[in-house]
Amino acid sequence: RATLTVPPEPAGNTILVLDYSNSMWGQIDGVAKIEIARDIIERNLEDWNQSTRLGLVAYGHRRKSDCSDIELVAAPSEQATDDMLAFLADAAPRGRTPLTSALEQAASHAAAGAGTGSGNASLVLLTDGIESCGRDPCAAVTDLDAAGVALAVHVIGLDLEGPEADELRCIADITGGQFLTVDDAEALDAALADT
């Protein structure tokens, strides 16, 4: 009797969307938020599950007042960690927070080649602030959802509270992602592991 073998679901694409706006120089317990984020991301990259293709989109790292300062640093692949580590070592926060446009760009890269079915593509947005370029991220992810883009967006708010946190919670709610707020390195480490 023949046995039916079901091929495994294709590995998904995950893109880390990283805030390099100038506010990331703010400090938590005397350490710049960007330094906390770098250390924790580097630690998590060492343990990354290589069966999931990882990429990185960053914003605000090249120019001070440019809402188009968004870059695909590393396309999703099993070997992206080297490019990501090189970027983390050299980049510095400079600019604004065009997180809506960054999410849209990251979504297009994550969805490309992610396979069929829901949950194959995901974004992890790490930010310490809300959109500063006049766009509505919740409307943008609603549009992506309506267009049939199967994408979970997990939002990690670093030192983000109250009304600002509430403005970003809808991103995760609409896409079925997690919304986590963190205020130190240990909590950020746990949040990245969760997402």
Side-chain angles (χ1 to χ4, degrees), residues 18-22 57-64 69-73 87 90-96:
L18 189 53
D19 183 348
Y20 265 78
S21 63
N22 193 54
V57 167
Y59 60 83
H61 58 289
R62 296 177 293 194
R63 296 177 292 276
K64 285 188 177 183
D69 185 11
I70 301 163
E71 180 183 8
L72 175 66
V73 174
F87 174 84
D90 293 334
R94 289 187 173 86
R96 299 186 65 186

Side-chain angles (χ1 to χ4, degrees), residues 3 12 17 28 31-32 34 40 42 44 47 67 80 88 92 95 124 127 131 133 151 158 163-164 176-177 190:
T3 304
V17 181
I28 297 173
V31 180
I34 193 61
I40 297 303
E42 287 172 356
N44 278 271
D47 299 325
C67 286
L88 291 169
V124 178
T127 184
E131 170 72 41
C133 291
L151 182 73
L158 179 59
E164 288 192 339

Side-chain angles (χ1 to χ4, degrees), residues 83-179:
D83 290 339
M84 294 173 70
L85 289 168
F87 174 84
L88 291 169
D90 293 334
R94 289 187 173 86
R96 299 186 65 186
T97 308
L99 67 83
T100 304
S101 295
L103 287 174
E104 289 172 335
Q105 288 186 34
S108 69
H109 294 294
T116 58
S118 62
N120 284 311
S122 61
L123 307 182
V124 178
L125 170 64
L126 173 58
T127 184
D128 77 332
I130 58 173
E131 170 72 41
S132 70
C133 291
R135 298 200 59 208
D136 180 350
C138 299
V141 295
T142 298
D143 290 346
L144 288 171
D145 187 58
V149 177
L151 182 73
V153 183
H154 308 290
V155 179
I156 302 174
L158 179 59
D159 196 31
L160 192 64
E161 298 176 346
E164 288 192 339
D166 291 340
E167 283 192 39
L168 298 181
R169 184 180 309 275
C170 61
I171 298 169
D173 290 346
I174 292 164
T175 65
Q178 297 181 66
F179 179 81

Side-chain angles (χ1 to χ4, degrees), residues 27-80:
Q27 296 191 352
I28 297 173
D29 296 329
V31 180
K33 290 183 268 188
I34 193 61
E35 295 300 331
I36 294 169
R38 280 180 182 151
D39 290 347
I40 297 303
I41 292 167
E42 287 172 356
R43 185 183 315 163
N44 278 271
L45 286 177
E46 292 171 7
D47 299 325
W48 184 257
N49 178 351
Q50 296 298 310
S51 68
T52 300
R53 295 180 297 269
L54 180 64
L56 173 65
V57 167
Y59 60 83
H61 58 289
R62 296 177 293 194
R63 296 177 292 276
K64 285 188 177 183
S65 299
D66 186 349
C67 286
S68 66
D69 185 11
I70 301 163
E71 180 183 8
L72 175 66
V73 174
S77 77
E78 291 86 355
Q79 294 83 31

